[in-house]
Structure formats: structure tokens, C-alpha cells
Amino acid sequence: MRFISWNVNGLRACLQKGFLDVFNMVNADCFCLQETKLQPEQVSLELPGYHQFWYSAEKKGYSGTALFSKEEPINITYGVGIPELDTEGRLITAEYPDFYLVTCYTPNAQQGLARIDHRLRWDEAFRSYLMELDQHKPVIICGDLNVAHQEIDLKNPSSNRGNAGFSDEERGSFEKLLSCGFTDTFRYLHPDVTGAYSWWSYRFNARKNNAGWRIDYFLVSDRIRDKIQATPIYHEVLGSDHCPVGLEINLED
């Protein structure tokens, strides 16, 4: 199966920059979006052969996720189940016969870590939620998780130490998630690869110079990590300050 995740940083803008060409090119079984920045009625998206699921923030033009699936899920749920954390459209879960698929747009800690307390509350709830799912069947998690885990995951670790996305608190929280039984699929296949990023600032010619961060992930339950086949990063795809990331996995064996 082929899964794709992409923070489109505004789907309406991305549609003007080749989104459908990318969507058709990758021909994913499931295609997940973060930061859609719209209400479903604000866009008419024809995706023949796909079931569409949308989760928008209460605040218009902000956050939001979507999931497009060739196979109709058994069940769809929205959010982590905690009302104060579920106003920003950040998480969709699709249940299939053999696994759960979760797409997530993790809150940004913001400049000066102004929102770090909210971020860590989210991380704790997210971790508990995934652990509960994992008790029933394997989980595939994707999305913009807004953290570069290790120094290898960003171009300039020393100058970014303590900044949002590379604070000790966020990195420790992500490490705790992995220790609860989940695998970073890209690092599982490519433990030593450098220069593999999924987000670049719009400033300072960051993308041209590949001064990026790897903050978009596919994680899987540890017990299915031996089924991972490929973890592409589509760095050549434009249309957002993030590029799509992928997972190819054989769950039939």
C-alpha cells in the first residue's frame, strides 16, 4: 500500500500550484493533508475513486486536516477526544480491517515557546490516544508533527537549539512517543542519511540551499515495521513550504 502525507499550507493556494498533478502522479491508496486552512464548503475537489474526510478548525482559515482514501474505512473519528484540544481540526483516524491510519497536524510551540504548555498537553493526549489504538490493531501515523527529532533531522541544529520544533521538551516528548512502541519509518530504513528534509522556511533561500527540517513523518507500530518497503520524501514537489512524504508498506504478508 502507498500512503502520502502533505502539509499543504493552505489547500486553496496549493490547488493553484499543481496539487492535483501531484495527487494524480503519486496514485496513493490514502492521501493525507495537514494545514488545509479551509471549511469543506470552501472548496470543490473532484477526486474520483476516493472517499473524502475533512476536519476543520473552528477558527476559519486556520489549521485543519483531510484524508482521502480509495478504500472506504470501517469507521472515521475526529480529534483525540478531549474537547479543549479538539477545536483546531488537528487529527483524523480512519479504521480499516487490519490497521488504523491517523493523520495529525501537531500544534506549533510558536516563537519563544509561547505555546509550549499547550503543545505538551497535546503530545500527552496524542500519545495516550495512539497507545489505546495500538492495543486493538497496528497503527500508521502520519503528518506534520512539528518536531525535528535528532540533530541529523535539520540543517542547523546548533543555532536552532531551544527554538520551536527543536526544543528539549518537544524532542523528549517525541522520544517518549517512540518508546511507547512506534517506529520512525524513514529513520528505520535510512538511519544515517543527512540532508533529508520536508520543510524549508520561505526566508533566506532556505529551499534553494536545502536548509531544511524533517518534521513530517510516518510512524508505525513497532510490530509492523518489518513490513516497511520505502519511505520517499518528494523534495522536488513544490506548492507549499513542506513537501509530501510517503510510506510504502506491505501489510498482506
Side-chain angles (χ1 to χ4, degrees):
M1 297 185 72
R2 176 177 295 157
F3 300 86
I4 298 292
S5 176
W6 193 8
N7 179 326
V8 291
N9 192 12
L11 180 57
R12 285 172 291 179
C14 194
L15 282 167
Q16 305 303 314
K17 301 175 183 177
F19 172 82
L20 288 175
D21 291 337
V22 176
F23 184 90
N24 293 325
M25 174 191 72
V26 297
N27 189 30
D29 294 286
C30 296
F31 199 115
C32 298
L33 305 183
Q34 303 86 43
E35 210 170 356
T36 53
K37 293 184 176 180
L38 52 74
Q39 307 297 314
E41 64 272 13
Q42 292 180 295
V43 66
S44 178
L45 194 58
E46 298 294 331
L47 302 174
Y50 286 85
H51 302 274
Q52 300 187 27
F53 305 96
W54 300 83
Y55 189 33
S56 300
E58 293 178 3
K59 178 182 177 181
K60 290 188 176 180
Y62 179 74
S63 189
T65 47
L67 188 155
F68 311 135
S69 175
K70 287 183 178 179
E71 179 181 351
E72 185 172 7
I74 296 170
N75 190 40
I76 287 281
T77 55
Y78 301 94
V80 292
I82 300 175
E84 60 267 29
L85 296 177
D86 286 338
T87 63
E88 297 179 345
R90 292 189 177 274
L91 188 140
I92 303 175
T93 303
E95 180 183 0
Y96 297 92
D98 299 320
F99 65 95
Y100 292 99
L101 173 64
V102 177
T103 184
C104 177
Y105 177 40
T106 298
N108 191 305
Q110 298 184 352
Q111 187 172 354
L113 302 183
R115 212 183 186 202
I116 188 66
D117 290 344
H118 176 81
R119 161 62 184 265
L120 295 176
R121 284 198 301 273
W122 170 272
D123 282 357
E124 183 178 0
F126 183 49
R127 185 169 59 248
S128 297
Y129 178 78
L130 296 178
M131 290 172 63
E132 171 64 26
L133 292 182
D134 192 45
Q135 291 181 15
H136 301 283
K137 59 183 76 173
V139 188
I140 297 171
I141 305 115
C142 71
D144 176 359
L145 303 188
N146 258 319
V147 61
H149 180 209
Q150 301 171 325
E151 291 192 354
I152 196 175
D153 293 315
L154 73 167
K155 178 70 170 182
N156 298 304
S158 58
S159 61
N160 280 293
R161 178 76 181 270
N163 289 342
F166 200 60
S167 67
D168 292 348
E169 297 94 328
E170 292 164 296
R171 295 172 66 197
S173 184
F174 186 77
E175 183 66 40
K176 190 172 182 180
L177 172 60
L178 295 181
S179 71
C180 289
F182 300 99
T183 295
D184 175 351
T185 62
F186 182 83
R187 282 289 167 229
Y188 181 73
L189 292 189
H190 309 288
D192 302 316
V193 168
T194 61
Y197 308 128
S198 64
W199 174 78
W200 303 262
S201 170
Y202 281 131
R203 299 181 295 170
F204 312 124
N205 291 316
R207 192 153 191 173
K208 180 180 178 181
N209 297 322
N210 197 30
W213 300 48
R214 189 175 70 92
I215 59 175
D216 301 270
Y217 293 85
F218 272 93
L219 312 180
V220 298
S221 297
D222 285 350
R223 62 188 182 278
I224 59 170
R225 64 187 178 188
D226 61 330
K227 300 179 183 297
I228 300 166
Q229 297 177 314
T231 56
I233 297 178
Y234 298 89
H235 58 85
E236 74 283 0
V237 172
L238 306 178
S240 169
D241 52 349
H242 296 249
C243 74
V245 298
L247 171 67
E248 297 177 21
I249 188 168
N250 184 2
L251 296 173
E252 296 180 356
D253 292 345

